[in-house]
């Protein structure tokens, strides 16, 4: 999957989480993307490891950072 396609899927997933009332912190996004990829078999190409708060992908973290750099996403403090 190309980077822009992955960014589109990530931002769509985050938008959907927000519409459902999720606060969409990075940990929640990591866990949701893990289930999205592993249970629904969506070929996102992220490699997850078991980390402190559950499944974690450093590549996904980098993608989220890139989305912020391109202004596709904006972190908001609550």
């Amino acid at each position: 999957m190309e980077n822009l396609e992955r960014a589109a899927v990530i931002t769509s997933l985050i938008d959907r989480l927000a519409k459902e009332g999720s606060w969409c912190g990075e940990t929640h996004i990591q866990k949701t993307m893990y289930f999205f990829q592993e249970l629904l078999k969506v070929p996102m190409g992220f490699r997850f490891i078991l980390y402190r708060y559950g499944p974690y992908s450093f590549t996904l973290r980098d993608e989220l950072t890139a989305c912020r750099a391109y202004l596709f996403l904006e972190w908001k403090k609550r």
Side-chain angles (χ1 to χ4, degrees):
M1 189 175 284
E2 298 288 326
N3 287 347
L4 285 177
E5 290 174 317
R6 283 203 301 203
V9 172
I10 291 167
T11 56
S12 295
L13 182 68
I14 292 170
D15 284 343
R16 182 60 191 239
L17 286 170
K19 286 180 184 174
E20 295 295 325
S22 170
W23 54 276
C24 300
E26 185 178 350
T27 302
H28 198 181
I29 294 166
Q30 288 275 351
K31 289 178 182 183
T32 303
M33 186 58 71
Y34 173 79
F35 289 115
F36 188 68
Q37 178 175 288
E38 299 301 319
L39 292 179
L40 299 177
K41 304 297 183 201
V42 178
M44 297 296 293
F46 296 119
R47 184 172 162 259
F48 286 88
I49 61 170
L50 184 57
Y51 210 58
R52 186 173 188 170
Y53 296 106
Y56 190 84
S57 170
F58 290 97
T59 310
L60 175 55
R61 183 200 59 199
D62 294 343
E63 288 283 331
L64 291 170
T65 301
C67 286
R68 287 182 57 211
Y70 290 120
L71 303 178
F72 297 151
L73 292 176
E74 178 183 16
W75 293 123
K76 294 181 181 177
K77 291 187 178 184
R78 289 191 136 208

